[in-house]
Amino acid sequence: MRLTQFTNYALRMLQYAALRDGEVSRVADIAQIHRASVHHMIKVANMLGRAGYLKTLRGRSGGIRLAKPAHEITVGEIVRITEAPLELAECFNAESNTCPLIGICNLSRTWHRALAAFLEALDGVTVADLAANRGELMDRLMLPPDPDPV
């Protein structure tokens, strides 16, 4: 199983917002840090804002910050909303499934147990946990000063 870049960036954005501890962060800065497209990161920020995880602020001094405490946001819930629907195999989707073994297949049951275990593990990790080594992370994520702070 491989998660999408969108999910990775969503978690990185939440992690960065948690590191900033209530301060407003610019999406362009987060994009630069992670060598990502600003437009892609704006889509991530918009989705997280609509879902209630980020507060998005418009205007000259705009940006993003967490909309709820970092310890209340689990990695599992972010993966569920950014990867939905989580279908490891064809048999996960009742509408499009063509497998003749549905309902009797041990492989399908195994996939379901594996996905449940995966999500359970992610549910035990919060955004606060992702930002727990704040000093090391901030040292690594330092941005060079903006030469033209307009």
Side-chain angles (χ1 to χ4, degrees), residues 44-129:
V44 171
N46 286 334
M47 187 281 304
L48 290 171
R50 285 191 314 274
Y53 295 101
L54 289 179
K55 180 166 180 70
T56 57
L57 308 161
R58 294 181 178 263
R60 183 180 168 106
S61 58
I64 56 113
R65 68 173 174 238
L66 291 180
K68 53 171 79 172
H71 69 272
E72 292 181 11
I73 306 169
T74 70
V75 172
E77 65 189 282
I78 301 305
V79 168
R80 282 180 184 88
I81 65 168
T82 57
E83 295 289 334
L86 278 164
E87 298 174 351
L88 294 184
E90 174 191 16
C91 56
F92 276 57
N93 186 326
E95 293 177 16
S96 64
N97 179 47
T98 61
C99 180
L101 303 176
I102 194 74
I104 63 166
C105 180
N106 288 332
L107 181 57
S108 177
R109 289 185 190 111
T110 301
W111 291 135
H112 282 281
R113 282 193 313 273
L115 179 59
F118 176 70
L119 291 172
E120 182 180 352
L122 297 180
D123 287 338
V125 180
T126 68
V127 170
D129 296 328

